Amino acid sequence: MATVYVLNGPNLNLLGSRETAVYGATTLADIEKLCMDAGQRNGHSVVFRQSNHEGELVDWLQEANTKAAGVVINPGAYTHTSIALHDAIRAIGVPVIEVHLSNIFAREEFRHHSYVSPVARGVLCGFGPKGYELAIDGLANALKA
Ligand code: CA2
């Protein structure tokens, strides 16, 4: 059994309370449950975290390098701004899957660029909360190969 880190960036703690037209009514706690179930189904344990702080996400990526077999990350708005996350992912040896609830390419132009995608093993967007499950399945497959 391996450990998979699921990391969430800024404002994702607000899911389900505001902007439900964009992000839906599912809360982050609901998504955590979904991830725990997907992890169990794949025989992996899941560590699920959220932070509004870029540096804390960098710390957790570095931690994942020694404690996890892979990472699923929704970097939130840091997707579009963070060279620090890009560098951290580039520096670690474990595969990282980038996930977004919304289709970032169907939204404002400033969301079309991701600093994370070039260093991610895979990218999923637009599938809502189900995307996290698909990302864990994809990561589990990659870990088997
Ligand atoms: O679609 C995604 O998952 C995003 O990563 C969500 C980020 C956004 O900046 C990215 O472009 C795409 C925003 C997360 C903020 O979520 C909120 C939820 C409820 C109320 C306010 C913000």
Side-chain angles (χ1 to χ4, degrees):
M1 182 194 272
T3 300
V4 168
Y5 274 30
V6 180
L7 304 179
N8 294 278
N11 296 309
L12 285 159
N13 55 312
L14 299 177
L15 280 177
S17 66
R18 286 176 211 157
E19 301 232 39
T20 49
V22 183
Y23 299 116
T26 308
T27 65
L28 197 62
D30 297 330
I31 293 177
E32 178 171 7
K33 168 91 175 66
L34 212 135
C35 289
M36 293 296 168
D37 291 348
Q40 198 168 38
R41 197 165 23 79
N42 283 291
H44 298 317
S45 66
V46 169
V47 170
F48 190 94
R49 295 181 186 158
Q50 186 273 333
S51 178
N52 292 327
H53 305 280
E54 190 176 15
E56 189 158 40
L57 292 164
V58 169
D59 286 344
W60 289 343
L61 283 164
Q62 291 182 10
E63 181 186 305
N65 197 33
T66 54
K67 296 200 173 151
V71 177
V72 169
I73 186 166
N74 182 346
Y78 290 142
T79 305
H80 319 296
T81 62
S82 181
I83 297 171
L85 287 184
H86 174 106
D87 286 348
I89 293 168
R90 196 186 199 111
I92 65 176
V94 296
V96 176
I97 313 286
E98 176 184 358
V99 63
H100 299 283
L101 294 159
S102 61
N103 178 355
I104 56 175
F105 302 101
R107 300 185 62 192
E108 303 95 322
E109 187 134 4
F110 65 83
R111 295 185 204 275
H112 296 184
H113 178 262
S114 166
Y115 280 99
V116 171
S117 298
V119 285
R121 170 70 69 92
V123 183
L124 276 138
C125 75
F127 293 103
K130 179 87 185 167
Y132 282 74
E133 196 182 319
L134 296 172
I136 290 173
D137 287 346
L139 183 58
N141 264 338
L143 293 176
K144 263 188 245 156

